[in-house]
Amino acid sequence: MDYKIEYFEKYNDKRGQLVVFLRNRDLENNQKALGQIYFVTFDKKNSIRGNHYHKKWREWFGVVSGRLKAVIMDIKTKEKKEFILDGSDTDKYIRLEIGPNIAHAFKNISNKASLLNYSDKEWSANDTFRIEIMK
């Protein structure tokens, strides 16, 4: 399955936190095109977002605040994985990278949560396919 979990540093001081979410050197040469960066909020516990996949996108997700349950599934093999992505005050952040044809869904397991996403392609209705992998 085309995914990767990475832990990366966050820097805390009396003002708050600084996190380098994704650097140029973290990307392969064919991934360096900017598609879009977006921010998603989950305003209610148990709300679910995603439940889709893209045939051409590669995406990187990081929880800025709160806790999310992430489920991914390889469309071709039907292999599934589940993770807890935690943006709470710990020493490191978790970044989830997924490739094309990996369905993904996120469920808020805290009161509120927010998710940062970078993709190497711009959103297109022609490359977004709904599939329910999480209820």
Side-chain angles (χ1 to χ4, degrees), residues 66-91:
R67 295 179 77 221
L68 297 175
K69 177 181 178 181
V71 175
I72 61 173
M73 183 181 80
D74 187 305
I75 295 304
K76 295 173 184 172
T77 67
K78 306 300 185 216
E79 179 185 2
K80 263 188 179 181
K81 300 258 184 211
E82 293 185 8
F83 310 96
I84 300 298
L85 304 178
D86 194 343
S88 62
D89 196 19
T90 60
D91 292 336

Side-chain angles (χ1 to χ4, degrees), residues 3-135:
Y3 81 96
K4 186 188 315 181
I5 291 282
E6 293 182 284
Y7 296 88
F8 54 101
E9 299 295 326
K10 67 179 174 178
Y11 305 94
N12 299 308
D13 67 20
K14 63 183 178 184
R15 300 167 294 174
Q17 301 171 358
L18 180 136
V19 176
V20 179
F21 176 66
L22 193 61
R23 297 170 300 207
N24 190 51
R25 67 179 176 224
D26 296 331
L27 302 172
E28 301 292 328
N29 283 334
N30 62 340
Q31 300 166 351
K32 293 191 187 264
L34 173 64
Q36 64 185 25
I37 298 170
Y38 61 89
F39 190 81
V40 179
T41 63
F42 297 76
D43 293 336
K44 294 182 180 177
K45 192 171 188 173
N46 296 317
S47 58
I48 296 173
R49 301 195 67 142
N51 274 327
H52 64 258
Y53 68 97
H54 310 281
K55 290 183 179 180
K56 299 177 183 173
W57 288 32
R58 178 164 293 278
E59 296 182 276
W60 292 258
F61 299 96
V63 174
V64 176
S65 64
R67 295 179 77 221
L68 297 175
K69 177 181 178 181
V71 175
I72 61 173
M73 183 181 80
D74 187 305
I75 295 304
K76 295 173 184 172
T77 67
K78 306 300 185 216
E79 179 185 2
K80 263 188 179 181
K81 300 258 184 211
E82 293 185 8
F83 310 96
I84 300 298
L85 304 178
D86 194 343
S88 62
D89 196 19
T90 60
D91 292 336
K92 297 190 183 282
Y93 270 104
I94 301 170
R95 182 176 57 226
L96 170 62
E97 175 186 344
I98 63 168
N101 296 306
I102 303 295
H104 49 285
F106 302 93
K107 181 177 186 176
N108 183 16
I109 56 175
S110 54
N111 290 328
K112 289 189 175 197
S114 55
L115 179 69
L116 179 65
N117 174 269
Y118 166 82
S119 63
D120 64 353
K121 306 273 188 290
E122 285 189 40
W123 183 86
S124 166
N126 295 331
D127 192 38
T128 302
F129 303 91
R130 301 279 312 150
I131 182 169
E132 190 172 277
I133 61 170
M134 180 188 288
K135 295 180 183 184

